[in-house]
Amino acid sequence: MLYVRSIWNGAISFGLVSIPIKLVNATESHSVAFRQIHTEDGGRIRYRKVCELEDREVTSSEIGKGYEDADGTIVPITDEDLAQLPIPTTRTIEIVAFVPTDRIDPLQLGAAYYLGANGVPAAKPYTLLREALKRSNRVAIAKYALRGRERLGMLRVVDDVIAMHGLLWPDEIRAPEGVAPDANVTVRDKELDLADALMDTLGEVDLEDLHDDYREAVEELIAAKTSGEEPRQTPGPARSGKVLDLMAALESSVRAAQESRAGTAEEADDGTEDAAHAEVRDLRKKKTPAKKTTSPKKPSATADRRTTAKKTTTDKTTTDKTTAKTTAKKTAAKKSTPRKRSA
């Protein structure tokens, strides 16, 4: 089992029950990290912490906290000052209520943590709270202090572990004023029907099948540069212009989604009889438009008459020309033959 370092130790306050717990991060980032460099020579760019008054670099042990007043005055605040604040959540996750899950606005959800039982004595009350949350089908709302401020949290059960989501305070959620289109737009029923059809065609997805294409492309780019190879150029998606006809765009989207799902079904086909009757198209392969086969048209009666007449006229003209040539030859022959004189 991979050891995960706890980032906070304290207790869950559940009425008069105290449950020692340790807080660990429930998520991790897989983003590729970059360093800032000097583009001319590749040297690292580093930031140094310098005191403005003494104009010298200071160490971490010399750095504290301070609040800047409106007039620019800095008020020093020490860790001891913060530790003596009269709030009960300094080292305690204090449960204040239990509410249905749908009462939580997803806009409030923040960082996620796992709460682990800290020590053998904590196992019994930890399990009690976990099973109570499971049976109630509700989540616990709690207050806790972390990184210098009091926060709001939501406790729920994930598998056999109590998880906590940091919540934004209600006054930290902005009202969506001025964001919606201010134009008076009317949506027709046919457009809604096509939108519903598109939603049905796209269907559901297993989130486990989704992955970060951008991160994979960056990793492939780094690997190519490290090995001295030329990075593979991948053409980007074609940029579409303005949508002038919403109905046509929706219809095209529905067709494309249907063909895409059919292509996916073809890949997963194991040769069963049911799949043989399905019409399957794979969008990933570029389609070559089929050549149109032009069948000879059957000539109409009028066309037949015109053709016959043209042929007859041609034959007649040819015959007349032949007759004229024959007559001309005979006439020339008669003229060239001398006549016999009578005795």
Side-chain angles (χ1 to χ4, degrees):
M1 179 179 177
L2 180 64
Y3 173 77
V4 181
R5 184 176 64 88
S6 62
I7 61 173
W8 185 88
N9 292 331
I12 300 176
S13 175
F14 178 32
L16 297 178
V17 178
S18 180
I19 310 172
I21 56 96
K22 52 186 177 181
L23 192 72
V24 299
N25 286 316
T27 61
E28 59 186 3
S29 175
H30 292 163
S31 299
V32 179
F34 294 103
R35 302 292 187 185
Q36 289 188 331
I37 62 170
H38 188 197
T39 55
E40 291 185 4
D41 53 21
R44 282 280 306 276
I45 302 297
R46 298 182 183 273
Y47 293 93
R48 304 185 185 277
K49 298 177 180 179
V50 177
C51 175
E52 292 181 352
L53 297 179
E54 299 182 10
D55 193 21
R56 70 175 180 87
E57 186 176 354
V58 297
T59 62
S60 298
S61 61
E62 299 177 87
I63 299 175
K65 299 182 181 69
Y67 173 79
E68 185 175 3
D69 207 349
D71 60 357
T73 304
I74 301 295
V75 180
I77 302 294
T78 65
D79 292 338
E80 290 75 15
D81 295 332
L82 297 175
Q84 294 174 5
L85 291 176
I87 56 174
T89 57
T90 304
R91 283 291 172 183
T92 304
I93 299 175
E94 182 184 7
I95 295 177
V96 297
F98 292 88
V99 300
T101 306
D102 56 11
R103 287 274 304 277
I104 305 301
D105 188 339
L107 285 174
Q108 290 184 256
L109 293 175
Y113 307 95
Y114 289 136
L115 305 181
N118 195 1
V120 176
K124 178 73 173 185
Y126 183 96
T127 305
L128 172 65
L129 176 58
R130 182 191 67 195
E131 296 304 315
L133 286 171
K134 282 184 179 180
R135 191 167 68 171
S136 68
N137 291 321
R138 290 182 291 179
V139 295
I141 303 300
K143 296 169 66 177
Y144 65 101
L146 182 64
R147 298 189 179 98
R149 55 170 292 198
E150 188 175 52
R151 303 168 186 264
L152 197 63
M154 178 190 76
L155 276 62
R156 69 185 183 99
V157 178
V158 177
D159 294 335
D160 288 331
V161 176
I162 298 175
M164 181 175 70
H165 296 267
L167 298 178
L168 295 174
W169 296 97
D171 60 359
E172 292 180 314
I173 304 295
R174 292 178 176 176
E177 295 178 358
V179 180
D182 55 359
N184 188 12
V185 179
T186 302
V187 179
R188 295 178 293 173
D189 290 339
K190 290 184 178 180
E191 293 169 340
L192 283 174
D193 292 340
L194 279 173
D196 290 340
L198 178 57
M199 293 168 64
D200 293 339
T201 304
L202 292 175
E204 298 182 359
V205 65
D206 187 352
L207 296 181
E208 296 293 334
D209 296 336
L210 302 180
H211 59 278
D212 189 346
D213 293 324
Y214 179 80
R215 177 173 61 86
E216 292 180 357
V218 171
E219 291 174 347
E220 183 178 342
L221 170 66
I222 294 173
K225 283 183 169 289
T226 302
S227 60
E229 300 177 358
E230 187 68 22
R232 182 170 60 92
Q233 299 294 329
T234 304
R239 294 182 178 270
S240 58
K242 294 182 179 179
V243 179
L244 301 180
D245 188 341
L246 182 58
M247 290 290 290
L250 286 170
E251 290 172 351
S252 300
S253 299
V254 172
R255 286 196 300 270
Q258 290 173 342
E259 292 174 352
S260 178
R261 290 179 67 86
T264 304
E266 183 182 40
E267 291 181 355
D269 180 23
D270 57 357
T272 57
E273 183 179 356
D274 293 338
H277 299 287
E279 181 182 359
V280 177
R281 302 178 193 173
D282 193 347
L283 277 183
R284 295 175 302 175
K285 297 180 180 179
K286 187 174 180 181
K287 295 183 178 180
T288 303
K291 295 182 179 180
K292 294 183 178 180
T293 305
T294 305
S295 57
K297 295 183 179 180
K298 185 177 181 181
S300 60
T302 304
D304 288 341
R305 286 197 297 270
R306 289 176 181 174
T307 304
T308 304
K310 185 176 181 179
K311 185 176 180 181
T312 303
T313 304
T314 303
D315 293 342
K316 184 178 179 181
T317 302
T318 304
T319 303
D320 291 345
K321 288 181 179 181
T322 304
T323 303
K325 288 181 180 180
T326 304
T327 304
K329 287 181 180 181
K330 289 181 178 181
T331 304
K334 287 181 179 181
K335 289 181 179 182
S336 61
T337 304
R339 294 182 180 181
K340 294 180 180 183
R341 293 181 178 181
S342 57

